[in-house]
């Protein structure tokens, strides 16, 4: 299986967010990413490297170079 994670660059570390390469600052957390990615964290779920990150751990879960993150939103309806 091909490694879909982007390489680190001289400009800084990179992660993948929802399938797209995304730069990440040293020490950034899931909470930092969510606040920059979404207008509001309401109805948001986050998985890092295929594991759900509980909302209570967003502020303490640091992102690492080459992490793969999925940010999903709940949708009403049926």
């Amino acid at each position: 299986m091909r490694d879909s994670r982007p390489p680190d660059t001289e400009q800084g570390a990179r992660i993948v967010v929802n399938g797209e390469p995304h730069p990440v600052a040293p020490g950034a957390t899931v909470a930092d990413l969510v606040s920059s990615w979404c207008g509001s964290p309401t109805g948001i779920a986050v998985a890092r490297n295929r594991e759900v990150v509980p909302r209570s751990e967003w502020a303490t879960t640091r992102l690492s170079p080459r992490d793969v993150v999925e940010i999903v939103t709940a949708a009403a309806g049926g």
Side-chain angles (χ1 to χ4, degrees):
M1 182 159 86
R2 184 172 90 70
D3 186 350
S4 63
R5 298 175 296 181
D8 296 337
T9 67
E10 290 180 15
Q11 291 78 32
R14 297 189 66 81
I15 62 174
V16 172
V17 180
N18 293 356
E20 298 292 326
H22 186 76
V24 64
T29 65
V30 168
D32 297 328
L33 178 64
V34 169
S35 73
S36 71
W37 195 264
C38 310
S40 167
T42 303
I44 301 292
V46 178
R48 184 184 66 139
N49 302 326
R50 296 184 173 210
E51 292 188 21
V52 172
V53 179
R55 184 179 301 265
S56 62
E57 296 176 14
W58 286 5
T60 58
T61 301
R62 296 206 182 275
L63 297 168
S64 298
R66 303 182 73 196
D67 276 348
V68 177
V69 178
E70 294 293 326
I71 299 174
V72 295
T73 58

